[in-house]
Amino acid sequence: MPTRRPKVTVVVPVYKVEKYLRECVDSILRQTLKNIEVILIDDGSPDDCGQIIDEYAKADKRVVAVHQENSGYSKAVNRGIEMARGEYIGIIESDDWIEPDMYETLYNDAKKNRTDVTKGMFYFYNSTVLAGAQNSVFRNPSNVDLRLAPSGVFQAKEWPKLIAFHASIWSAIYRADFIKKIPIPESAGASYQDFPFMMQFLTKAKRITVVKRPFVHWRNDPEQGNSSSARGEKLLLMAQNSKLSLEIAHKYKDYDKIREAVFIQILWANLSFFEREGFRLRGAYYKLLREIFSEIAGDPTFKFQYFSKHDKDMVKYFLVKNGRAKYEVHRFFHRIRSALHKFARTFFPTYRTVTYLKWQNWEMEHQLEMMSEEIQAIRKQLEK
């Protein structure tokens, strides 16, 4: 009797995460959608991860344990996608965990709308901050909010903000015969390989939907060792992958409609990496970003549509003469201001209260802005 095809295959690349691995896998196996396949790929992890995934494979027939020499995130995920038997494929990072109904909800939406890509929202988790703020719904630095995505099926050219939002390839499912044709670029040890991968599938997808609920708890603890805490020459690979992403975007026939979103994503994908790079390597990083942003230098058709004043100011450093020196001066004084703010928040309760009230005011303004956009979207639908 033939084996029933899984509705969803979940691919989990595993490397040096024994502290978090069980929480991750348990959250997948507790899914309300029972007909799933879980492929756990031990990428040559030096800790006990290999033994842990073997235990899961023995205990649950839905789990497939794979062991390989350390080859990097891309090759591990590509191998899992190649092996996957499911109608749809999801990717989960092995230090994160997910809500129990994630795959049932995404799968039902994908089947209903016959999508290539169905994406959900996610939480930003950091255990080192105050308890009430540890697990907050992610909003990107330019305030792109997935709750404002179209309610039905769309393409990237119709809502480019999906590109501007965040790569987060682990918060979606993909139609198997669609995504199997789009491998993640295989550069071992690289940072942010999901950026060029995202650019490929979003520009090729004909049918995309967004489920406006958070499902993944994206862990960002300082000690966990993911790309958010990378250092040194590894960070330069972020800029190189951004350059590759831009090359992919250029091939899209409606590139002019997504261009602004591509560049704001490039800025925010690189900014924190660039700013924490050491002085020596920051020069090399600067040259790479200057080369990327040279495309929009002096271009009157580029309107900085998704760029805040701060975003525009940062881009200028990559476009103007002596921009590197000007940036270093800016960085020096910014660090002094940050240190003073930290000191004031620590020792002066009144200052801390004022800062909180300013944040609350900003949050209210953002909510009003979202409501205004939603009203405009409803008006457009009614006019049709």
Side-chain angles (χ1 to χ4, degrees):
M1 185 175 179
T3 305
R4 184 172 53 153
R5 185 181 187 187
K7 291 181 177 179
V8 175
T9 293
V10 186
V11 176
V12 186
V14 177
Y15 185 73
K16 293 176 69 174
V17 288
E18 62 179 341
K19 179 179 178 180
Y20 310 111
L21 183 56
R22 293 186 188 277
E23 182 180 23
C24 172
V25 179
D26 287 345
S27 72
I28 298 170
L29 296 179
R30 284 197 295 262
Q31 290 293 293
T32 55
L33 181 66
K34 301 303 180 185
N35 184 17
I36 61 175
E37 174 186 46
V38 184
I39 301 179
L40 305 176
I41 302 174
D42 168 26
D43 187 34
S45 188
D47 53 15
D48 289 335
C49 286
Q51 179 182 335
I52 293 171
I53 71 170
D54 285 340
E55 291 173 8
Y56 277 105
K58 290 177 182 177
D60 194 317
K61 63 181 181 181
R62 297 175 298 172
V63 177
V64 179
V66 179
H67 301 272
Q68 65 180 33
E69 292 184 2
N70 181 240
S71 305
Y73 178 88
S74 301
K75 290 187 177 180
V77 174
N78 284 338
R79 185 172 181 183
I81 291 175
E82 184 180 337
M83 294 174 60
R85 297 187 300 112
E87 294 176 57
Y88 286 82
I89 298 173
I91 301 162
I92 293 295
E93 298 195 348
S94 49
D95 48 6
D96 299 335
W97 77 98
I98 62 177
E99 291 295 304
D101 63 339
M102 173 174 173
Y103 286 117
E104 181 174 23
T105 305
L106 296 183
Y107 176 80
N108 288 341
D109 183 272
K111 291 292 285 186
K112 174 185 174 182
N113 292 294
R114 297 175 289 111
T115 61
D116 299 317
V117 179
T118 291
K119 187 172 182 65
M121 298 167 64
F122 57 94
Y123 297 100
F124 182 96
Y125 177 81
N126 184 340
S127 65
T128 65
V129 300
L130 294 174
Q134 286 180 352
N135 212 24
S136 57
V137 177
F138 178 81
R139 181 189 303 149
N140 89 336
S142 297
N143 288 328
V144 177
D145 196 320
L146 287 191
R147 288 174 292 183
L148 299 178
S151 296
V153 177
F154 64 95
Q155 295 182 21
K157 64 181 180 181
E158 296 163 336
W159 202 67
K161 285 186 177 182
L162 187 58
I163 292 173
F165 176 67
H166 190 278
S168 51
I169 63 174
W170 28 260
S171 66
I173 61 172
Y174 313 91
R175 184 167 52 81
D177 55 359
F178 166 75
I179 206 65
K180 282 178 177 282
K181 300 173 184 176
I182 308 174
I184 299 180
E186 292 191 353
S187 47
S191 299
Y192 220 67
Q193 302 101 320
D194 44 0
F195 189 6
F197 182 55
M198 175 201 73
M199 196 62 68
Q200 288 194 76
F201 67 69
L202 286 184
T203 55
K204 291 181 178 180
K206 302 300 182 185
R207 301 181 66 83
I208 303 168
T209 56
V210 171
V211 176
K212 300 171 185 180
R213 266 189 58 203
F215 296 102
V216 178
H217 298 261
W218 179 38
R219 191 187 303 273
N220 280 265
D221 287 346
E223 78 281 358
Q224 74 190 90
N226 63 7
S227 63
S228 299
S229 59
R231 293 289 186 276
E233 292 189 6
K234 184 177 181 180
L235 293 179
L236 297 179
L237 296 168
M238 170 68 86
Q240 292 168 7
N241 274 329
S242 297
K243 186 177 180 181
L244 174 59
S245 299
L246 184 59
E247 292 170 359
I248 292 167
H250 281 154
K251 298 175 183 177
Y252 185 46
K253 62 184 179 65
D254 291 298
Y255 172 62
D256 60 313
K257 295 179 180 178
I258 67 168
R259 186 185 185 206
E260 300 258 355
V262 171
F263 273 97
I264 191 63
Q265 176 59 254
I266 289 173
L267 177 67
W268 280 109
N270 285 277
L271 198 53
S272 66
F273 282 56
F274 173 70
E275 291 186 333
R276 73 169 181 259
E277 184 63 278
F279 182 83
R280 181 180 60 84
L281 290 175
R282 197 157 60 243
Y285 206 143
Y286 176 85
K287 288 180 181 179
L288 287 168
L289 291 180
R290 184 177 176 86
E291 179 183 348
I292 291 170
F293 282 102
S294 65
E295 178 182 320
I296 63 173
D299 184 351
T301 67
F302 195 88
K303 304 300 182 183
F304 292 91
Q305 183 177 353
Y306 306 118
F307 291 68
S308 67
K309 182 181 183 302
H310 172 266
D311 299 337
K312 293 177 185 176
D313 289 342
M314 289 306 301
V315 171
K316 286 178 183 177
Y317 291 122
F318 302 115
L319 301 179
V320 300
K321 186 177 181 181
N322 298 322
R324 168 79 194 285
K326 293 176 181 178
Y327 166 77
E328 294 297 342
V329 172
H330 156 83
R331 185 174 188 271
F332 175 76
F333 286 106
H334 175 74
R335 295 184 75 175
I336 292 177
R337 286 195 300 271
S338 296
L340 291 173
H341 282 305
K342 186 176 181 180
F343 177 84
R345 286 195 305 270
T346 303
F347 295 102
F348 299 100
T350 302
Y351 182 87
R352 188 162 59 243
T353 301
V354 170
T355 302
Y356 174 77
L357 290 174
K358 284 183 177 179
W359 177 84
Q360 287 284 72
N361 184 61
W362 176 85
E363 179 71 14
M364 188 178 295
E365 288 178 352
H366 174 68
Q367 293 296 331
L368 290 172
E369 181 183 333
M370 285 199 310
M371 289 172 63
S372 175
E373 290 190 25
E374 287 176 347
I375 291 169
Q376 290 178 16
I378 292 170
R379 282 177 176 171
K380 287 181 181 179
Q381 289 179 355
L382 292 174
E383 289 172 359
K384 291 180 181 178

